Amino acid sequence: MASVASGGGSLLGSLKRFDAYPKTMEDFRIKTCGGATITIISGAIMIALFVAELQFFLGVSIKEKLLMDTTRSELLDIYLDVTFQHLPCDHISVDAMDVSGGQQVDVDHDIKKRRLKADGTRINEEKVEELGNSTVALVLDPNRCESCYGAETADTKCCNTCEEVRVAYRLRGWGLESLAAFEQCKREGLAKALTDMKDEQCNVQGRLRVSKVSGNFHISPGKSFQQSHAHVHDLKLLQQFPLNLTHTINSLSFGEFVPTQTNPLDNHTFVAAELNAMRQYYVQIVPMRYQKINEEIVLSNQYSVTHHHKAIDLNKAARGEQSGLPGMFVTYDISPLMVEVIEHRRSFTHFLTGVCAIVGGVFTVAGIIDSFVYNSYRAFQKKLELGKVN
């Protein structure tokens, strides 16, 4: 029995040699006010760093990488919200076109034009109506056939509304200088309404869905239409009105919103120093694939932009001496690369490693500072006792 006990004692004695944390007796420990102060400060620092590390662990981290875009066959959604401070809604049209030949002329689906007073308040809160859609008190013969004023074609013999007269003139390639000459427009009150609306603002809001290729969209004065494979805006009717293209882009995004997305043109205001200004925005789009923490995937885009503007002389433009139209033009190009953004959480082992590094690091640095303060104090005290310090 004695030999077994002796063997166990020697084993424990051998094990004690591996102790990296030797202890000193309580009687040989010296506690100082400086050490207590450093301990309190280092404890507070450790708690603060632990809370920060815990918040970082519980939060979502972002990982990004670059890869080739393979989603070219999909469509591109453009979400816009633009306010024109000096153009009525009936004066402007929204158009989109791309390099593949696709064109959307005078877009009205998924696009709303909200009429605003000069102070920015809504004119009609319940429904956005186009000019001239108000009911007419006169009882008209449903079988009537009114004149198109010389713009009749083999397919269009009758023009019973002002809009039909305008369409017939556009098909002929003729411009309308005044609506007062047409009985249909006078009956519907359009001639007077155009003058009454001159001080209104217009908010254009909605979505354009285009092919995912390079192209442009623009919001410009005048009714737009296709004529002889050319995109045309009829500005004759608006020559009597000053065309001030001052506008504010409340928001402009390409694709769905994602948390890390920033849109450079949001809340951007252009103040036109001259009439008939052409404001051009050149946008470089980078597709983005965003994977949320719940593994939901959102396809969106981020973009950068540069801009330029110039004044258009309508008379020179009509004679072909100057290119361009008044309006807001957004020309976009799409990068062949895609940014993939992945949300993820840090692993628990990473968090544990960080906590250990905080505790160990603060404890070690605090020990070094305490040792320096204590030894400095002792050295000063010895000099004081020897009379070397006055």
Side-chain angles (χ1 to χ4, degrees), residues 146-182:
E146 298 187 58
S147 172
C148 293
Y149 302 91
E152 293 86 352
T153 63
D155 297 325
T156 305
K157 299 292 185 182
C158 305
C159 297
N160 295 330
T161 65
C162 184
E163 182 61 25
E164 291 178 355
V165 174
R166 296 170 76 173
V167 171
Y169 266 63
R170 286 201 296 267
L171 292 176
R172 284 283 193 177
W174 301 345
L176 290 174
E177 296 185 2
S178 174
L179 297 180
F182 306 112

Side-chain angles (χ1 to χ4, degrees), residues 136-144 146 160 187-188:
V136 180
L138 297 176
V139 178
L140 301 173
D141 183 5
N143 298 319
R144 70 189 185 282
E146 298 187 58
N160 295 330
R187 182 176 64 227
E188 295 173 12

Side-chain angles (χ1 to χ4, degrees), residues 329-340:
F329 290 75
V330 178
T331 303
Y332 54 88
D333 191 20
I334 302 176
S335 171
L337 299 177
M338 169 183 283
V339 176
E340 185 176 53

Side-chain angles (χ1 to χ4, degrees), residues 76-81 206-208 217 249-258 261-266 285 300-303:
L76 176 65
D77 288 332
I78 304 173
Y79 296 92
L80 57 98
D81 182 355
R207 180 189 70 177
L208 287 171
F217 70 90
I249 302 177
N250 303 308
S251 65
L252 177 63
S253 61
F254 297 82
E256 298 291 337
F257 174 78
V258 294
Q261 182 176 346
T262 56
N263 300 317
L265 285 176
D266 285 1
I285 299 175
S300 185
N301 303 274
Q302 40 192 4
Y303 66 91

Side-chain angles (χ1 to χ4, degrees), residues 254-327:
F254 297 82
E256 298 291 337
F257 174 78
V258 294
T260 60
Q261 182 176 346
T262 56
N263 300 317
L265 285 176
D266 285 1
N267 302 313
H268 170 79
T269 298
F270 166 67
V271 179
E274 59 279 312
L275 299 178
N276 305 324
M278 180 181 185
R279 180 68 165 182
Q280 296 173 293
Y281 299 95
Y282 301 97
V283 175
Q284 180 67 47
I285 299 175
V286 179
M288 177 169 55
R289 182 179 183 271
Y290 194 94
Q291 181 175 323
K292 297 184 178 180
I293 195 69
N294 58 1
E295 297 188 354
E296 177 188 354
I297 295 177
V298 179
L299 295 178
S300 185
N301 303 274
Q302 40 192 4
Y303 66 91
S304 60
V305 62
T306 57
H307 44 74
H308 171 72
H309 71 273
K310 64 179 180 179
I312 302 297
D313 188 324
L314 295 182
N315 294 324
K316 290 183 178 180
R319 296 193 300 266
E321 298 175 4
Q322 185 181 24
S323 61
L325 286 169

